Amino acid sequence: MSLFSKVFKAKKMEKKQANTELPEIRLNRGYFNVNDVLKDVANILMHDARSKRISIIYRLNKNVPSRMLGDRYKLSNALVEVIGNGIDFTEGRHDISVEIRRNEKNDERNEIHFVVTDFGVGMEQSLVNGVLRPMLNSDDPAKAFGIDGHGLQHARDIIHAMHGSIYMQCKPLEGCRVSFYVNFELDNRNDRRKYHLDSEEG
């Protein structure tokens, strides 16, 4: 298990034990490769996904730069929360898809968009706002479905700290689609992600 995996799991346990507001999100700044982010996410979610026979399918657009400047671990954390939520509410062998692309209309920022789609139990769209906002009322309707929203709220806070936004669409028995974008500093506008497979299986 990677160091990031251990730290993430420890923090997740702390969140479950504490019923207080999370501290302000502070971002670190450094260069990273988007493939390393996906490795972080895989290390965290591999066990849960395999135990439920769920495959996570990544689709990266060629316009996603291979090197970005920002907080790799906070981005990994946000993705783990969003994808992990999809795993929690997906049964059987349904896949979860993760689409990643860059908004090329934004010349000044490296605006990366993510769309995470699951085909789980879903929920009424009217309950979505209760999931993404802090749950202050014990009788919140979403809690009747076993949804406390803490993971998605943490992802939301990270995304907002990265000058991004998150939106969620759901249908009962059809699953949910979580769309969000974050902004990174742009090192090279002409950079394109470099494809590299370690093996034929990879």
Side-chain angles (χ1 to χ4, degrees), residues 67-79:
R67 192 171 82 149
M68 295 190 282
L69 181 58
D71 195 322
R72 159 189 171 182
Y73 295 104
K74 289 295 193 301
L75 176 59
S76 299
N77 201 165
L79 274 171

Side-chain angles (χ1 to χ4, degrees), residues 17-159:
Q17 294 170 0
N19 194 24
T20 58
E21 291 186 6
L22 290 170
E24 180 183 357
I25 301 294
R26 295 185 178 182
L27 301 177
N28 294 315
R29 185 171 176 268
Y31 287 105
F32 65 91
N33 190 298
V34 66
N35 293 324
D36 292 330
V37 172
L38 301 185
K39 290 177 183 177
D40 291 340
V41 174
N43 286 336
I44 292 290
L45 298 178
M46 179 171 54
H47 175 75
D48 290 344
R50 284 183 175 178
S51 66
K52 300 182 77 171
R53 296 183 180 181
I54 294 172
S55 295
I56 303 173
I57 309 300
Y58 296 95
R59 297 184 176 91
L60 278 77
N61 193 294
K62 291 182 180 180
N63 69 5
V64 177
S66 58
R67 192 171 82 149
M68 295 190 282
L69 181 58
D71 195 322
R72 159 189 171 182
Y73 295 104
K74 289 295 193 301
L75 176 59
S76 299
N77 201 165
L79 274 171
V80 166
E81 297 286 17
V82 173
I83 300 172
N85 182 78
I87 293 174
D88 288 343
F89 293 96
T90 298
E91 298 294 340
R93 298 183 180 181
H94 294 291
D95 294 338
I96 292 177
S97 70
V98 183
E99 300 179 21
I100 308 170
R101 63 177 177 82
R102 179 187 161 218
N103 178 14
E104 294 184 319
K105 295 180 180 179
N106 190 339
D107 291 332
E108 297 181 357
R109 302 287 292 183
N110 192 14
E111 187 179 292
I112 306 299
H113 289 244
F114 299 82
V115 179
V116 179
T117 305
D118 71 70
F119 299 92
V121 297
M123 69 178 85
E124 294 287 349
Q125 186 64 26
S126 60
L127 301 180
V128 168
N129 289 336
V131 175
L132 291 178
R133 72 170 185 265
M135 293 192 173
L136 304 177
N137 302 320
S138 59
D139 59 346
D140 194 293
K143 291 186 176 180
F145 291 82
I147 303 170
D148 60 27
H150 293 311
L152 288 178
Q153 289 164 23
H154 187 215
R156 174 207 59 196
D157 292 343
I158 293 173
I159 291 163

